[in-house]
């Protein structure tokens, strides 16, 4: 939760801070907030579209969302 708060503080200062967006997305995945994580990770990829770890995290979110089972919206033991 502290990491998420740190990311949000950085984003208040600079809403296009790539590292804060990417970090917030990862934190949200770990909290099971997959839809929010996907939204934030898409914003990060608009800034740095070729980052493989962010792309992989977004792919994980999209796969979880495709299953459409709320209990699977928690982070798996895979990437994050």
């Amino acid at each position: 939760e502290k990491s998420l708060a740190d990311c949000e503080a950085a984003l208040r200062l600079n809403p296009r801070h790539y590292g804060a967006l990417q970090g917030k997305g990862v934190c949200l995945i770990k909290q099971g907030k997959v839809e929010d994580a996907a939204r934030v990770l898409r914003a990060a990829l608009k800034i740095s579209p070729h980052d493989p770890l962010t792309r992989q995290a977004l792919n994980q979110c999209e796969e979880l969302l495709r299953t459409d089972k709320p209990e699977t919206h928690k982070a798996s033991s895979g990437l994050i």
Side-chain angles (χ1 to χ4, degrees), residues 4-48:
L4 181 59
D6 290 344
C7 292
E8 289 175 342
L11 290 168
R12 280 191 294 278
L13 296 172
N14 178 3
R16 292 185 45 83
H17 188 287
Y18 174 76
L21 286 167
Q22 196 271 347
K24 182 177 179 176
V26 170
C27 289
L28 290 169
I29 291 171
K30 288 182 179 184
Q31 291 181 355
K33 299 176 181 176
V34 180
E35 290 180 27
D36 292 337
R39 179 182 47 78
V40 172
L41 292 168
R42 283 186 197 103
L45 286 169
K46 286 182 181 177
I47 297 167
S48 182

Side-chain angles (χ1 to χ4, degrees), residues 48-65:
S48 182
H50 303 292
D51 184 283
L53 293 177
T54 303
R55 173 73 53 201
Q56 187 176 6
L58 178 58
N59 289 342
Q60 179 186 17
C61 288
E62 290 173 342
E63 179 62 30
L64 288 169
L65 291 170

